[in-house]
Amino acid sequence: ALDLGIDFKVKSDLKFSDVGGMEQVKDDIRMKIIHPLKNPDLFAAYGKKAGGGVLLYGPPGCGKTLMAQATAGEIDATFLAVGLHQILDMYMGESEQKLHKIFELARKSRPSVLFFDETDALAADRRDMRQSAGRTLVNQFLSELDGAQAQNDDLLILGATNAPWQLDSAFLRPGRFDRIIFVPPPDRAAREEIAKIHAKGKPLADFDPADVAKRTEGFSGADLKAVFDQATEAALTEAMRKGNMVPVTGKMLANAAKNVKPSTKKW
Ligand code: ATP
């Protein structure tokens, strides 16, 4: 599948419980995707159905990809992830073909969640997007989106971007990416949840998730993961030196939190 520019295609076993915080985002996705899939008749009676696209936007490292994977896991769908830059880097004509093949593969793998990372690559103000090669790709993408909408309800399309306002507005019309959901930097309560998730399966001592949350103002979920990775390395190094199991301590986490730079300050 690699030559399709698809990073991977899997049955996702991640669930919403693997994503810390984001209660609003989870509610939005339940209402837009999960409930309509599970109660199609009820939703049809109100003139609503599953499908269409959802655009997730927000600072890097705050769980957009994770959320897309968890959405697939919640509905037991195949998860396909595509980096748009990979497709854009191909020769003219080739990119459109790849894009079409990717949509075909997603249709064949239904129920599926097709996730496009780096949707910024389609930004309206990029010079290569205004030139004819870029236009053809944009048009191909739009027609695939419309086709997905017309042909089936079991193909869900999620896109991630750091800057939705840069997207060609044609993408945002009804039936395309018609819902835009902000994935915010985690607040203190969310950081506490994320800390618990990253702590799972590790030997711990004096671990206080609230304390980690307090020390990590402005940290993204990915920054928090880096904190746990560093602290775990410290514990492992000591364990090897001593020839004994050494737990990851609250102090190691506090030290690691001092080393990792918060990346979401400007949001
Ligand atoms: P980018 O815009 O850079 O693609 P992203 O928003 O898609 O970033 P992810 O790739 O989902 O971010 O997050 C990177 C990693 O950070 C995740 O694999 C996970 O380990 C951790 N992470 C981020 N947000 C959360 C969260 N809310 N709960 C748990 N882990 C998180």
Side-chain angles (χ1 to χ4, degrees):
L2 263 185
D3 68 327
L4 285 177
I6 293 187
D7 291 331
F8 50 102
K9 174 188 165 216
V10 285
K11 277 281 175 188
S12 163
D13 50 14
L14 288 173
K15 290 276 159 30
F16 277 178
S17 56
D18 297 303
V19 184
M22 291 208 219
E23 295 312 322
Q24 183 61 49
V25 182
K26 289 176 187 170
D27 277 348
D28 280 349
I29 289 182
R30 277 190 195 102
M31 205 55 192
K32 167 96 180 164
I33 294 177
I34 296 175
H35 293 321
L37 267 180
K38 292 194 170 157
N39 314 283
D41 296 342
L42 179 68
F43 275 72
Y46 290 82
K48 290 208 174 278
K49 57 177 190 165
V54 173
L55 200 59
L56 303 174
Y57 84 97
C62 288
K64 295 183 290 297
T65 307
L66 189 67
M67 194 68 212
Q69 260 178 293
T71 301
E74 287 284 332
I75 54 178
D76 202 21
T78 309
F79 180 69
L80 300 94
V82 181
L84 273 171
H85 281 291
Q86 283 171 277
I87 297 181
L88 273 172
D89 286 344
M90 293 168 182
Y91 293 108
M92 191 178 167
E94 205 186 355
S95 338
E96 289 78 27
Q97 225 178 31
K98 295 279 173 187
L99 193 63
H100 180 64
K101 283 198 181 141
I102 286 164
F103 270 88
E104 287 288 281
L105 178 62
R107 286 183 190 113
K108 265 192 273 174
S109 321
R110 281 178 289 153
S112 55
V113 170
L114 178 52
F115 176 68
F116 290 98
D117 207 353
E118 311 162 346
T119 315
D120 306 339
L122 299 169
D125 61 356
R126 278 175 48 135
R127 203 165 51 103
D128 44 353
M129 280 300 111
R130 287 206 308 264
Q131 288 167 348
S132 66
R135 284 314 316 163
T136 348
L137 185 67
V138 166
N139 288 334
Q140 175 76 27
F141 203 122
L142 292 174
S143 81
E144 296 291 349
L145 283 177
D146 295 345
Q149 171 78 353
Q151 286 164 31
N152 57 69
D153 303 335
D154 286 350
L155 168 58
L156 302 159
I157 296 155
L158 294 176
T161 173
N162 304 122
W165 46 88
Q166 287 177 359
L167 265 186
D168 192 318
S169 61
F171 281 106
L172 309 178
R173 292 207 196 113
R176 293 173 179 170
F177 287 113
D178 53 11
R179 183 165 303 197
I180 304 186
I181 301 179
F182 180 49
V183 177
D187 60 15
R188 196 191 276 210
R191 292 196 303 276
E192 202 174 316
E193 290 307 308
I194 297 172
K196 286 183 202 158
I197 290 170
H198 290 312
K200 258 184 220 155
K202 295 192 186 341
L204 298 156
D206 314 314
F207 170 52
D208 177 3
D211 183 65
V212 174
K214 203 179 75 189
R215 293 170 188 273
T216 50
E217 172 90 51
F219 282 47
S220 69
D223 297 337
L224 277 161
K225 183 173 183 328
V227 169
F228 277 83
D229 286 347
Q230 276 196 24
T232 304
E233 242 170 70
L236 264 171
T237 308
E238 219 180 300
M240 285 189 292
R241 194 168 53 80
K242 287 191 176 156
N244 255 328
M245 187 87 147
V246 172
V248 179
T249 64
K251 192 150 181 256
M252 289 171 186
L253 287 165
N255 278 334
K258 275 187 224 148
N259 290 330
V260 177
K261 296 253 167 320
S263 62
T264 73
K265 274 272 154 56
K266 69 185 162 68
W267 288 75

